[in-house]
């Protein structure tokens, strides 16, 4: 599996556009800045919805009304983050593929995605029985707490990608080398 991932990343690295982006004076920074700034839109809205479901904030406003009002900007923010994220990956594909922080981030992104899907399904199923004020059903509060934990992890691991503590050129243990996917292609 590691060899397949590194082969794919090496193939992407062969594109002129990938090198041009990585070596660009401004473009890479602008895309990364957009990736970071969109956090406020995406995670800012998501956190308000999750904190409402947990009953920690805006407990006097019906949760479905908050979710309905913030859903569109949240989804737009999410789409921009995913697009800019893939462009950042395309610019430095091999090093990013071999970053344990990026790998942990992808695992948490998938977990956060599955949790969001289950959460939305549960909200739709309970929509007509949800209380207008106060705490939400336990199943929804668990989903909101997991959501906050997963996305906090995505942010921390996203930030850690910039640090080369466990990059393949370092003196890694066999386990860390496997985790980072350090393979020599024939
Ligand atoms: C949608 C949810 C996402 C969130 C909340 C998120 C969050 C972050 C954060 C906080 C950083 C650190 C930025 C910094 O301080 O330098 C980051 C960096 C990064 N993200 Fe994301 N990200 C998301 C999706 C993605 C996706 C889908 C990819 C690629 C498939 C991606 C690829 C990257 C890369 C390569 C970096 C490192 C940039 C660098 O250090 O030069 N991100 N992300």
């Amino acid at each position: 599996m590691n060899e397949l991932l590194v082969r794919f990343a090496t193939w992407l690295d062969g594109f002129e556009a990938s090198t041009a982006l990585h070596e660009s004076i401004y473009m890479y920074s602008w895309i990364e800045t957009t990736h970071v700034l969109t956090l406020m839109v995406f995670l800012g809205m998501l956190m308000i919805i999750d904190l409402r479901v947990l009953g920690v904030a805006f407990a006097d406003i019906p949760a479905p009304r908050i979710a309905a009002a913030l859903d569109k900007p949240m989804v737009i923010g999410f789409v921009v983050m995913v697009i800019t994220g893939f462009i950042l990956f395309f610019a430095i594909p091999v090093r990013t593929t071999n970053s344990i922080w990026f790998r942990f981030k992808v695992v948490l992104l998938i977990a956060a995605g599955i949790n969001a899907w289950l959460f939305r399904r549960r909200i739709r199923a309970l929509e007509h029985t949800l209380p207008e004020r106060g705490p939400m059903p336990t199943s929804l509060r668990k989903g909101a707490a997991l959501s906050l934990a997963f996305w906090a992890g995505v942010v921390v691991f996203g930030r850690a990608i910039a640090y080369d503590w466990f990059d393949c050129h370092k003196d890694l243990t066999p386990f860390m080398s496997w985790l980072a996917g350090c393979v020599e292609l024939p």
Side-chain angles (χ1 to χ4, degrees):
M1 184 64 179
N2 276 332
E3 189 176 325
L4 201 65
L5 290 173
V6 174
R7 252 183 217 293
F8 173 67
T10 309
W11 174 72
L12 283 180
D13 206 33
F15 285 88
E16 256 177 52
S18 170
T19 312
L21 202 51
H22 187 192
E23 294 172 355
S24 63
I25 297 172
Y26 297 115
M27 189 51 85
Y28 185 87
S29 312
W30 285 342
I31 292 165
E32 194 186 4
T33 305
T34 310
H35 197 61
V36 174
L37 285 180
T38 330
L39 270 179
M40 293 181 284
V41 182
F42 167 52
L43 283 186
M45 306 291 157
L46 182 127
M47 277 178 70
I48 293 172
I49 297 171
D50 286 343
L51 292 176
R52 168 61 192 91
V53 170
L54 286 168
V56 177
F58 307 106
D60 56 338
I61 306 175
R65 232 174 80 206
I66 293 187
L70 303 184
D71 199 51
K72 201 172 276 164
M74 183 178 72
V75 171
I76 293 169
F78 177 75
V79 171
V80 175
M81 288 215 77
V82 170
I83 293 171
T84 51
F86 274 103
I87 299 174
L88 292 172
F89 176 81
F90 176 65
I92 319 175
V94 177
R95 184 201 168 251
T96 310
T97 301
N98 285 143
S99 161
I100 59 166
W101 309 118
F102 179 73
R103 292 171 169 233
F104 291 159
K105 180 181 171 180
V106 171
V107 171
L108 285 184
L109 275 171
I110 295 166
I114 294 169
N115 185 52
W117 178 70
L118 291 171
F119 184 81
R120 278 170 180 265
R121 220 175 56 160
R122 229 173 278 140
I123 276 217
R124 267 198 297 277
L126 296 169
E127 198 158 25
H128 303 295
T129 60
L130 290 177
E132 288 260 316
R133 294 193 174 16
M136 294 282 124
T138 310
S139 63
L140 287 182
R141 278 185 281 144
K142 276 191 192 147
L146 272 178
S147 164
L148 290 175
F150 286 146
W151 287 112
V154 168
V155 170
V156 169
F157 289 138
R159 178 79 283 264
I161 294 171
Y163 301 101
D164 66 350
W165 304 316
F166 299 104
D167 278 19
C168 292
H169 64 272
K170 298 278 178 172
D171 186 20
L172 303 177
T173 63
F175 174 71
M176 289 307 282
S177 178
W178 170 79
L179 204 58
C182 306
V183 291
E184 295 292 332
L185 293 180

